[in-house]
């Protein structure tokens, strides 16, 4: 038979414990074991006044932000609603049933003020990396780097063509926060100074974002999220926000490698990346620092007409010359110059040429230079480092590295599909940096929780 209608019966007293109502296998139980915020109050002490009304506990705000980024809650307004209703979120944030959830505007006030001034989010991220090191998830031997485009909170309708944009005419006193941040980044290698080429359009709301069509589809404004990971367990050891152009992304490699060496003492024996990072200057920089570049080389010396390429010529480093397959010499200079300004400079691109009389009489001229009087070969400044990368590409370890490189791509897929960071919510370089740091922190915490889940406890009857 049908049971009686269920109706809520109000009670005068309740015996309720959040600890008993959060499942033992909940993700937040595992994450909570690796969140150490004990030093945050000391870290922020200089950024708070010693008088006035007490502020919201910064540890509470950070715990709420971690909940939002771990579970893909993009809106801070919605985050406050979820923490108010969800018992597991309340437990993680150390809130009792009767405790009030902070207003969403509190996040903006702290983020634009003391959080950025103190670089708290960078400190929080590096704390999680240090915990990964402590747990043995990072060896520092093999690292991989890559960048992913994240759409900015801007659109073409509110933009200006490059011919009409004049940054010098902007008054910083009257400009929005994102525009002031743009003016401060004009001389930074990751943004304004990354390239002299101006974007086709500049956004009014977020001018530091890059107008790009790199996805082979409709163009949009974006930032690049650069990850440096340890390939042992896919732990993110550093993150950097840059413009969405190759020069800025490649330049961030040096920044992140220097930072992890200074902060954690990590110096990889190899760096894994895709072809976009196979530039001569970066390969030379890595080889000089004893880092093996497991990177495909950007090489445009190949020919499509069946004639000999540069790879068919033997390099003679002792005599600074190339030897063609027929045994003839191609030299850059054939006499000693008394004037040092006319001799080799050691910078830029050098051109090595064969003798006209030798090439004209050569039986293999049709396979070497059929349309030229003599054969010439260009050699870049960092050709030795490029050759090191080519030699590495022939090894079995290189094949393994190319498979390990997929781990960083998987992290970007997780970032966009699971954490929901396909489009930025905050504007300006600082806003992009804040979101990237928090997302990387959340991914590292989820990694720790996956590898070291919380022990299951038997419930008491």
């Amino acid at each position: 038979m049908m049971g009686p209608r269920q109706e809520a019966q109000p009670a005068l007293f309740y015996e309720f414990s959040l600890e008993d109502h959060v499942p033992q296998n909940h993700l937040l139980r595992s994450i909570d074991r690796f969140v150490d915020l004990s030093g945050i109050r000391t870290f922020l002490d200089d950024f708070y006044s010693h008088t006035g009304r007490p502020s919201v506990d910064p540890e509470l705000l950070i715990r709420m932000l971690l909940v939002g980024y771990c579970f893909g809650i993009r809106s801070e307004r919605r985050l406050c609603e979820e923490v108010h209703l969800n018992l597991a979120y309340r437990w993680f944030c150390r809130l009792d049933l009767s405790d009030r959830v902070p207003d969403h505007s509190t996040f903006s006030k702290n983020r634009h003020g003391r959080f950025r001034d103190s670089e708290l989010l960078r400190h929080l991220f590096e704390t999680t990396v240090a915990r990964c090191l402590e747990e043995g998830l990072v060896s520092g031997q093999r690292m991989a780097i890559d960048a992913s485009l994240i759409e900015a909170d801007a659109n073409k309708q509110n933009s200006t063509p490059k011919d009409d944009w004049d940054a010098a005419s902007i008054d910083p006193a009257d400009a929005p926060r994102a525009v002031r941040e743009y003016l401060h980044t004009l001389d930074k290698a990751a943004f304004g100074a990354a390239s002299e080429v101006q974007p086709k359009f500049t956004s009014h709301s977020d001018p530091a974002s890059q107008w790009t069509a790199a996805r082979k589809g409709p163009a949009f404004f974006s930032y690049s999220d650069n990850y440096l990971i340890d390939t042992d367990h896919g732990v993110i050891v550093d993150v950097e926000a840059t413009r969405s152009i190759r020069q800025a992304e490649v330049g961030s490699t040096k920044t992140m490698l220097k930072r992890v060496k200074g902060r954690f003492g990590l110096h990889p024996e190899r760096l894994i990346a895709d072809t976009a990072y196979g530039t001569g200057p970066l390969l030379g920089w890595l080889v000089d620092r004893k880092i093996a570049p497991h990177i495909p080389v950007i090489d445009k010396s190949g020919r499509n007409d069946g004639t000999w390429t540069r790879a068919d010529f033997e390099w003679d480093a002792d005599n600074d010359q190339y030897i063609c397959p027929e045994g003839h010499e191609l030299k850059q200079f054939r006499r000693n110059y008394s004037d040092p300004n006319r001799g080799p400079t050691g910078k830029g691109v050098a051109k090595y040429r064969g003798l006209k009389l030798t090439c004209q009489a050569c039986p293999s001229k049709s396979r070497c230079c059929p349309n030229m009087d003599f054969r010439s070969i260009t050699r870049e400044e960092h050709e030795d480092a490029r050759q090191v990368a080519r030699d590495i590409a022939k090894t079995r370890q290189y094949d393994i590295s190319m498979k390990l490189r997929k781990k960083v791509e998987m992290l970007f897929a997780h970032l966009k599909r699971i954490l929901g960071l396909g489009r930025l919510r905050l504007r300006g370089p600082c806003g992009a940096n804040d979101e990237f740091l928090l997302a990387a922190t959340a991914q590292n915490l989820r990694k720790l929780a996956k590898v070291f889940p919380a022990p299951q406890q038997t419930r008491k009857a």
Side-chain angles (χ1 to χ4, degrees):
M1 74 179 185
M2 185 180 296
R5 184 184 300 274
Q6 181 68 38
E7 295 183 0
Q9 299 292 330
L12 294 177
F13 302 99
Y14 289 94
E15 183 178 350
F16 188 89
S17 173
L18 280 176
E19 183 69 30
D20 296 336
H21 286 77
V22 178
Q24 294 296 319
N25 60 350
H26 198 283
L27 177 62
L28 285 179
R29 281 194 178 274
S30 298
I31 290 178
D32 185 66
R33 298 163 56 236
F34 302 103
V35 177
D36 182 12
L37 304 179
S38 58
I40 279 186
R41 299 183 70 88
T42 303
F43 187 82
L44 292 174
D45 187 57
D46 294 337
F47 296 89
Y48 281 88
S49 173
H50 298 287
T51 60
R53 189 174 61 179
S55 67
V56 177
D57 186 2
E59 181 177 343
L60 170 60
L61 297 179
I62 293 299
R63 286 184 174 272
M64 290 181 65
L65 287 173
L66 290 177
V67 168
Y69 278 84
C70 284
F71 292 93
I73 304 175
R74 304 286 297 120
S75 168
E76 289 167 355
R77 188 187 296 269
R78 179 170 167 248
L79 174 62
C80 293
E81 297 174 355
E82 293 291 334
V83 172
H84 176 72
L85 295 172
N86 193 298
L87 295 181
Y89 296 171
R90 278 186 170 269
W91 173 86
F92 181 78
C93 295
R94 307 296 190 262
L95 292 173
D96 202 356
L97 287 178
S98 59
D99 292 333
R100 185 176 180 181
V101 177
D103 187 76
H104 65 88
S105 62
T106 307
F107 292 97
S108 298
K109 294 179 181 178
N110 284 274
R111 179 174 57 246
H112 296 313
R114 55 181 65 95
F115 283 7
R116 286 182 182 172
D117 295 339
S118 64
E119 296 187 351
L120 175 64
L121 300 183
R122 168 65 63 178
H123 170 75
L124 177 67
F125 167 74
E126 292 180 347
T127 301
T128 63
V129 176
R131 185 59 186 269
C132 292
L133 279 164
E134 181 182 341
E135 298 293 339
L137 299 185
V138 177
S139 67
Q141 296 180 352
R142 297 178 297 188
M143 293 187 183
I145 191 168
D146 204 354
S148 182
L149 300 181
I150 306 296
E151 188 175 353
D153 186 21
N155 56 66
K156 184 180 178 182
Q157 283 69 29
N158 188 26
S159 65
T160 297
K162 63 178 181 181
D163 295 335
D164 300 332
W165 177 262
D166 184 14
S169 62
I170 301 176
D171 184 5
D174 299 331
R177 181 182 293 107
V179 178
R180 294 199 301 269
E181 293 178 5
Y182 157 76
L183 296 175
H184 292 157
T185 59
L186 290 177
D187 295 329
K188 293 186 177 180
F191 291 95
S195 173
E196 296 180 356
V197 179
Q198 297 299 317
K200 187 175 181 180
F201 294 96
T202 301
S203 170
H204 295 167
S205 57
D206 193 355
S209 60
Q210 178 74 26
W211 178 258
T212 179
R215 290 179 179 171
K216 307 301 181 182
F220 58 95
F221 289 104
S222 72
Y223 286 92
S224 284
D225 188 5
N226 299 270
Y227 274 2
L228 178 66
I229 74 165
D230 185 272
T231 59
D232 287 356
H233 290 86
V235 173
I236 306 168
V237 294
D238 205 357
V239 59
E240 182 81 1
T242 65
R243 287 178 65 187
S244 297
I245 56 175
R246 191 179 67 180
Q247 295 91 327
E249 295 170 358
V250 173
S252 69
T253 306
K254 301 178 183 179
T255 301
M256 290 190 285
L257 286 173
K258 291 177 181 178
R259 191 155 52 203
V260 297
K261 183 176 182 179
R263 178 65 178 84
F264 305 108
L266 298 177
H267 186 75
E269 66 178 23
R270 73 177 69 167
L271 181 69
I272 307 168
D274 58 22
T275 311
Y277 296 84
T279 62
L282 179 60
L283 295 175
W285 188 86
L286 293 173
V287 171
D288 290 343
R289 284 155 182 79
K290 310 301 181 184
I291 301 175
H294 287 233
I295 305 172
V297 180
I298 299 177
D299 194 350
K300 300 180 181 180
S301 63
R303 294 192 170 191
N304 300 324
D305 56 1
T307 58
W308 288 335
T309 65
R310 184 171 57 187
D312 296 316
F313 290 73
E314 181 184 353
W315 170 244
D316 182 5
D318 295 335
N319 298 311
D320 188 27
Q321 63 183 8
Y322 277 98
I323 306 297
C324 78
E326 292 289 345
H328 303 305
E329 300 174 348
L330 283 75
K331 295 186 176 183
Q332 184 181 9
F333 302 99
R334 295 186 179 275
R335 60 177 174 174
N336 296 325
Y337 290 97
S338 58
D339 183 0
N341 294 327
R342 298 185 61 189
T345 62
K347 298 180 180 180
V349 178
K351 181 170 287 189
Y352 293 80
R353 303 174 178 86
L355 290 174
K356 180 178 179 180
L357 294 177
T358 304
C359 291
Q360 292 291 342
C362 181
S364 300
K365 184 177 186 302
S366 60
R367 299 181 57 191
C368 182
C369 52
N371 301 321
M372 300 290 293
D373 294 335
F374 56 90
R375 180 61 187 264
S376 64
I377 294 178
T378 57
R379 181 178 178 85
E380 287 76 7
E381 179 183 359
H382 301 281
E383 188 62 30
D384 291 337
R386 289 157 60 91
Q387 188 59 43
V388 170
R390 292 191 191 98
D391 295 338
I392 292 175
K394 301 175 184 178
T395 63
R396 182 176 176 273
Q397 293 297 325
Y398 178 84
D399 297 333
I400 298 175
S401 296
M402 291 300 102
K403 295 178 180 179
L404 292 175
R405 190 180 64 82
K406 296 179 180 179
K407 290 189 176 184
V408 66
E409 296 177 352
M410 293 170 61
L411 284 170
F412 285 131
H414 180 270
L415 175 73
K416 296 178 180 180
R417 298 186 62 182
I418 305 302
L419 303 189
L421 192 61
R423 179 186 174 94
L424 292 173
R425 190 179 57 81
L426 305 179
R427 292 175 175 172
C430 292
N433 186 63
D434 290 350
E435 293 215 57
F436 295 162
L437 283 171
L438 281 169
T441 302
Q443 288 183 291
N444 281 347
L445 288 174
R446 290 177 66 111
K447 177 69 68 175
L448 284 165
K450 180 180 179 180
V451 178
F452 305 106
Q456 300 298 308
Q457 299 178 0
T458 304
R459 288 182 176 271
K460 296 181 180 179

